[in-house]
Structures are given as structure tokens and as C-alpha cells.
Amino acid sequence: MLFLVFLNKILSVIPRQTTAPHPAVRRLLRELGENIRLARLRRGFSMALVAERAGMSRTTLRAVENGEPGVTLGSYANVLHSLGLHADLDLVARDDELGRKLQDAKLPARRRAPKRGAGTAAATSSKARQVPQSQ
């Protein structure tokens, strides 16, 4: 039992393997990190203060500001919240033009309902569906 606890502690410290991000994603993360760093500096906040407010270590904040891809999205969100920029997260993927066009392309064409009383079958089936009223 003690061995399992020890093994669990060791495994929790070992970083997880992640796939290498696409170069364009890597570039975007670096830009995001740089923007976060500049926002922190404009506000005159130290790394220690922002890291404490975001609930992380300075090492993790440094990773966020460097745009490292292994950092969790939650860490980025906590830092943005600490800087008062969390409303910007609401803008992510809000206007999905391509997705909407693809969705619209898959919509079936609207068919018109048959005209009332046009055929005897339609009139008969509508009478059969009527529920007799109780007296």
C-alpha cells in the first residue's frame, strides 16, 4: 500500500507527454503569452503578485508568458482573470462563419405542406385524426 502511494506521488510529478503543436498554433501561443506579459507590465504587477492571484507558481506564470503549449487552458484563463481580461475569453470561437456555412449547407430544403382539401385522401385522413368531443 505504501508503495502505491509513493508511486502515485512520483507519477504526479512527471510531466505528461503532449503532442507537438502545429507551428501556427505555437506562434499564436507565443503571441498570447507576450500579450499577457505586456498586460501585466502595463498594470505594474509583479510576477509574484499575478501568480498568487492566479493560484499558480511563478514558474507556471513564466510558462504562460512564454506561450508554452503544455500549460493548461485553465492556467491561461486564471491569469487573464487576474489581469481583468477574462471577458476576452468570451470572444473565442464566437463568430464561426465557416461552421455556420457548413451547417446551413447540410440543412434540408423546406418542403411545402400539401394544400388542404386538395385530395380526398388528405381530407379523409384529417377527419380520421379528429377526436370526437365528449358531451
Side-chain angles (χ1 to χ4, degrees):
M1 182 68 173
L2 184 59
F3 175 72
L4 292 176
V5 172
F6 181 70
L7 183 62
N8 191 24
K9 285 190 177 195
I10 289 174
L11 292 177
S12 67
V13 176
I14 298 173
R16 292 184 214 135
Q17 292 288 346
T18 58
T19 58
H22 191 274
V25 173
R26 182 78 177 121
R27 197 170 26 258
L28 287 171
L29 286 173
R30 269 195 233 117
E31 288 176 15
L32 175 61
E34 180 65 17
N35 290 342
I36 289 173
R37 186 180 78 79
L38 291 173
R40 176 181 62 80
L41 293 174
R42 280 188 214 107
R43 287 162 175 71
F45 294 162
S46 68
M47 283 189 82
L49 176 67
V50 174
E52 181 182 336
R53 287 183 178 179
M56 63 183 62
S57 66
R58 287 187 321 190
T59 306
T60 304
L61 178 59
R62 187 177 306 114
V64 168
E65 290 184 353
N66 289 336
E68 293 183 15
V71 179
T72 65
L73 180 59
S75 295
Y76 281 98
N78 283 336
V79 173
L80 289 170
H81 181 72
S82 299
L83 296 171
L85 298 172
H86 55 279
D88 290 350
L89 285 175
D90 190 39
L91 301 175
V92 174
R94 175 178 273 189
D95 188 25
D96 182 16
E97 275 188 47
L98 175 62
R100 290 180 191 268
K101 286 179 182 177
L102 290 171
Q103 183 182 24
D104 290 345
K106 291 180 183 177
L107 291 176
R110 291 182 61 189
R111 296 186 338 186
R112 294 186 71 177
K115 292 183 179 180
R116 294 183 126 186
T120 57
T124 313
S125 65
S126 65
K127 287 182 183 179
R129 280 186 255 142
Q130 291 179 354
V131 179
Q133 296 179 356
S134 59
Q135 294 178 355

PDB file of all heavy atoms in Angstrom, residues 10 12-13 17 40 43 51 62 73-74 81 90 106 111 132:
ATOM      1  N   ILE A  10       5.217   9.995  -7.310  1.00  0.00           N
ATOM      2  CA  ILE A  10       6.233  10.116  -8.353  1.00  0.00           C
ATOM      3  C   ILE A  10       5.575  10.408  -9.699  1.00  0.00           C
ATOM      4  O   ILE A  10       6.002  11.292 -10.434  1.00  0.00           O
ATOM      5  CB  ILE A  10       7.084   8.827  -8.441  1.00  0.00           C
ATOM      6  CG1 ILE A  10       7.976   8.715  -7.212  1.00  0.00           C
ATOM      7  CG2 ILE A  10       7.937   8.816  -9.704  1.00  0.00           C
ATOM      8  CD1 ILE A  10       8.741   7.419  -7.132  1.00  0.00           C
ATOM      9  N   SER A  12       2.746  11.800 -10.277  1.00  0.00           N
ATOM     10  CA  SER A  12       2.101  13.114 -10.336  1.00  0.00           C
ATOM     11  C   SER A  12       3.096  14.228 -10.619  1.00  0.00           C
ATOM     12  O   SER A  12       2.712  15.299 -11.070  1.00  0.00           O
ATOM     13  CB  SER A  12       1.348  13.391  -9.034  1.00  0.00           C
ATOM     14  OG  SER A  12       2.255  13.541  -7.972  1.00  0.00           O
ATOM     15  N   VAL A  13       4.375  13.980 -10.385  1.00  0.00           N
ATOM     16  CA  VAL A  13       5.404  14.986 -10.623  1.00  0.00           C
ATOM     17  C   VAL A  13       5.930  14.916 -12.050  1.00  0.00           C
ATOM     18  O   VAL A  13       6.320  15.921 -12.628  1.00  0.00           O
ATOM     19  CB  VAL A  13       6.569  14.804  -9.611  1.00  0.00           C
ATOM     20  CG1 VAL A  13       7.691  15.773  -9.889  1.00  0.00           C
ATOM     21  CG2 VAL A  13       6.065  14.964  -8.198  1.00  0.00           C
ATOM     22  N   GLN A  17       3.203  13.611 -21.444  1.00  0.00           N
ATOM     23  CA  GLN A  17       3.641  13.805 -22.823  1.00  0.00           C
ATOM     24  C   GLN A  17       2.508  14.458 -23.611  1.00  0.00           C
ATOM     25  O   GLN A  17       1.364  14.053 -23.506  1.00  0.00           O
ATOM     26  CB  GLN A  17       3.996  12.457 -23.458  1.00  0.00           C
ATOM     27  CG  GLN A  17       5.217  11.814 -22.868  1.00  0.00           C
ATOM     28  CD  GLN A  17       6.499  12.527 -23.273  1.00  0.00           C
ATOM     29  OE1 GLN A  17       6.508  13.337 -24.186  1.00  0.00           O
ATOM     30  NE2 GLN A  17       7.571  12.242 -22.567  1.00  0.00           N
ATOM     31  N   ARG A  40       0.476  42.553 -18.028  1.00  0.00           N
ATOM     32  CA  ARG A  40       0.932  42.534 -16.625  1.00  0.00           C
ATOM     33  C   ARG A  40       1.869  43.706 -16.362  1.00  0.00           C
ATOM     34  O   ARG A  40       1.732  44.419 -15.355  1.00  0.00           O
ATOM     35  CB  ARG A  40       1.652  41.213 -16.322  1.00  0.00           C
ATOM     36  CG  ARG A  40       2.240  41.150 -14.916  1.00  0.00           C
ATOM     37  CD  ARG A  40       2.956  39.856 -14.651  1.00  0.00           C
ATOM     38  NE  ARG A  40       4.097  39.604 -15.503  1.00  0.00           N
ATOM     39  CZ  ARG A  40       5.303  40.138 -15.332  1.00  0.00           C
ATOM     40  NH1 ARG A  40       5.541  40.982 -14.338  1.00  0.00           N
ATOM     41  NH2 ARG A  40       6.290  39.852 -16.161  1.00  0.00           N
ATOM     42  N   ARG A  43       0.204  47.138 -16.166  1.00  0.00           N
ATOM     43  CA  ARG A  43      -0.506  47.334 -14.896  1.00  0.00           C
ATOM     44  C   ARG A  43       0.461  47.498 -13.719  1.00  0.00           C
ATOM     45  O   ARG A  43       0.048  47.805 -12.611  1.00  0.00           O
ATOM     46  CB  ARG A  43      -1.443  46.153 -14.633  1.00  0.00           C
ATOM     47  CG  ARG A  43      -2.665  46.186 -15.541  1.00  0.00           C
ATOM     48  CD  ARG A  43      -3.341  44.836 -15.607  1.00  0.00           C
ATOM     49  NE  ARG A  43      -4.578  44.857 -16.387  1.00  0.00           N
ATOM     50  CZ  ARG A  43      -4.656  44.984 -17.691  1.00  0.00           C
ATOM     51  NH1 ARG A  43      -3.542  45.102 -18.415  1.00  0.00           N
ATOM     52  NH2 ARG A  43      -5.809  45.003 -18.310  1.00  0.00           N
ATOM     53  N   ALA A  51       0.958  35.629 -10.111  1.00  0.00           N
ATOM     54  CA  ALA A  51       0.977  34.185  -9.871  1.00  0.00           C
ATOM     55  C   ALA A  51       0.153  33.839  -8.636  1.00  0.00           C
ATOM     56  O   ALA A  51      -0.618  32.877  -8.634  1.00  0.00           O
ATOM     57  CB  ALA A  51       2.412  33.696  -9.710  1.00  0.00           C
ATOM     58  N   ARG A  62       5.507  32.020 -15.758  1.00  0.00           N
ATOM     59  CA  ARG A  62       6.554  32.212 -16.766  1.00  0.00           C
ATOM     60  C   ARG A  62       6.244  31.368 -18.006  1.00  0.00           C
ATOM     61  O   ARG A  62       6.406  31.826 -19.136  1.00  0.00           O
ATOM     62  CB  ARG A  62       7.924  31.840 -16.208  1.00  0.00           C
ATOM     63  CG  ARG A  62       9.059  32.172 -17.158  1.00  0.00           C
ATOM     64  CD  ARG A  62      10.450  31.876 -16.586  1.00  0.00           C
ATOM     65  NE  ARG A  62      10.656  32.540 -15.297  1.00  0.00           N
ATOM     66  CZ  ARG A  62      10.804  31.885 -14.138  1.00  0.00           C
ATOM     67  NH1 ARG A  62      10.773  30.575 -14.095  1.00  0.00           N
ATOM     68  NH2 ARG A  62      10.996  32.556 -13.016  1.00  0.00           N
ATOM     69  N   LEU A  73      -5.246  25.247 -20.361  1.00  0.00           N
ATOM     70  CA  LEU A  73      -6.094  26.384 -20.731  1.00  0.00           C
ATOM     71  C   LEU A  73      -6.594  27.087 -19.476  1.00  0.00           C
ATOM     72  O   LEU A  73      -6.736  28.309 -19.448  1.00  0.00           O
ATOM     73  CB  LEU A  73      -7.266  25.911 -21.589  1.00  0.00           C
ATOM     74  CG  LEU A  73      -8.245  26.964 -22.055  1.00  0.00           C
ATOM     75  CD1 LEU A  73      -7.537  28.028 -22.889  1.00  0.00           C
ATOM     76  CD2 LEU A  73      -9.365  26.338 -22.845  1.00  0.00           C
ATOM     77  N   GLY A  74      -6.831  26.314 -18.420  1.00  0.00           N
ATOM     78  CA  GLY A  74      -7.274  26.896 -17.157  1.00  0.00           C
ATOM     79  C   GLY A  74      -6.257  27.862 -16.588  1.00  0.00           C
ATOM     80  O   GLY A  74      -6.614  28.880 -15.992  1.00  0.00           O
ATOM     81  N   HIS A  81      -7.973  36.316 -15.953  1.00  0.00           N
ATOM     82  CA  HIS A  81      -8.895  36.792 -14.927  1.00  0.00           C
ATOM     83  C   HIS A  81      -8.172  37.689 -13.919  1.00  0.00           C
ATOM     84  O   HIS A  81      -8.698  38.733 -13.522  1.00  0.00           O
ATOM     85  CB  HIS A  81      -9.550  35.616 -14.204  1.00  0.00           C
ATOM     86  CG  HIS A  81     -10.519  36.026 -13.156  1.00  0.00           C
ATOM     87  ND1 HIS A  81     -11.752  36.567 -13.457  1.00  0.00           N
ATOM     88  CD2 HIS A  81     -10.440  36.006 -11.804  1.00  0.00           C
ATOM     89  CE1 HIS A  81     -12.384  36.853 -12.341  1.00  0.00           C
ATOM     90  NE2 HIS A  81     -11.609  36.514 -11.327  1.00  0.00           N
ATOM     91  N   ASP A  90     -14.645  35.184 -23.790  1.00  0.00           N
ATOM     92  CA  ASP A  90     -15.990  35.027 -24.359  1.00  0.00           C
ATOM     93  C   ASP A  90     -15.993  35.221 -25.869  1.00  0.00           C
ATOM     94  O   ASP A  90     -16.903  34.767 -26.551  1.00  0.00           O
ATOM     95  CB  ASP A  90     -16.947  36.022 -23.687  1.00  0.00           C
ATOM     96  CG  ASP A  90     -18.389  35.766 -24.026  1.00  0.00           C
ATOM     97  OD1 ASP A  90     -18.770  34.575 -24.105  1.00  0.00           O
ATOM     98  OD2 ASP A  90     -19.138  36.738 -24.202  1.00  0.00           O
ATOM     99  N   LYS A 106     -25.898  21.817 -44.948  1.00  0.00           N
ATOM    100  CA  LYS A 106     -26.434  20.496 -44.625  1.00  0.00           C
ATOM    101  C   LYS A 106     -27.919  20.521 -44.290  1.00  0.00           C
ATOM    102  O   LYS A 106     -28.527  19.467 -44.138  1.00  0.00           O
ATOM    103  CB  LYS A 106     -25.670  19.886 -43.442  1.00  0.00           C
ATOM    104  CG  LYS A 106     -24.251  19.525 -43.785  1.00  0.00           C
ATOM    105  CD  LYS A 106     -23.542  18.936 -42.594  1.00  0.00           C
ATOM    106  CE  LYS A 106     -22.098  18.650 -42.927  1.00  0.00           C
ATOM    107  NZ  LYS A 106     -21.375  18.141 -41.762  1.00  0.00           N
ATOM    108  N   ARG A 111     -39.842  21.661 -47.419  1.00  0.00           N
ATOM    109  CA  ARG A 111     -40.903  21.201 -48.316  1.00  0.00           C
ATOM    110  C   ARG A 111     -42.208  21.810 -47.858  1.00  0.00           C
ATOM    111  O   ARG A 111     -42.459  21.944 -46.665  1.00  0.00           O
ATOM    112  CB  ARG A 111     -40.990  19.681 -48.289  1.00  0.00           C
ATOM    113  CG  ARG A 111     -39.727  19.041 -48.814  1.00  0.00           C
ATOM    114  CD  ARG A 111     -39.825  17.553 -48.929  1.00  0.00           C
ATOM    115  NE  ARG A 111     -40.851  16.961 -48.096  1.00  0.00           N
ATOM    116  CZ  ARG A 111     -41.037  15.672 -47.954  1.00  0.00           C
ATOM    117  NH1 ARG A 111     -40.262  14.846 -48.582  1.00  0.00           N
ATOM    118  NH2 ARG A 111     -41.992  15.195 -47.184  1.00  0.00           N
ATOM    119  N   PRO A 132     -63.480  12.841 -31.331  1.00  0.00           N
ATOM    120  CA  PRO A 132     -64.871  13.251 -31.053  1.00  0.00           C
ATOM    121  C   PRO A 132     -64.951  13.981 -29.708  1.00  0.00           C
ATOM    122  O   PRO A 132     -64.282  13.601 -28.759  1.00  0.00           O
ATOM    123  CB  PRO A 132     -65.654  11.949 -31.021  1.00  0.00           C
ATOM    124  CG  PRO A 132     -64.652  10.833 -31.046  1.00  0.00           C
ATOM    125  CD  PRO A 132     -63.318  11.415 -31.399  1.00  0.00           C
TER     126      PRO A 132
END
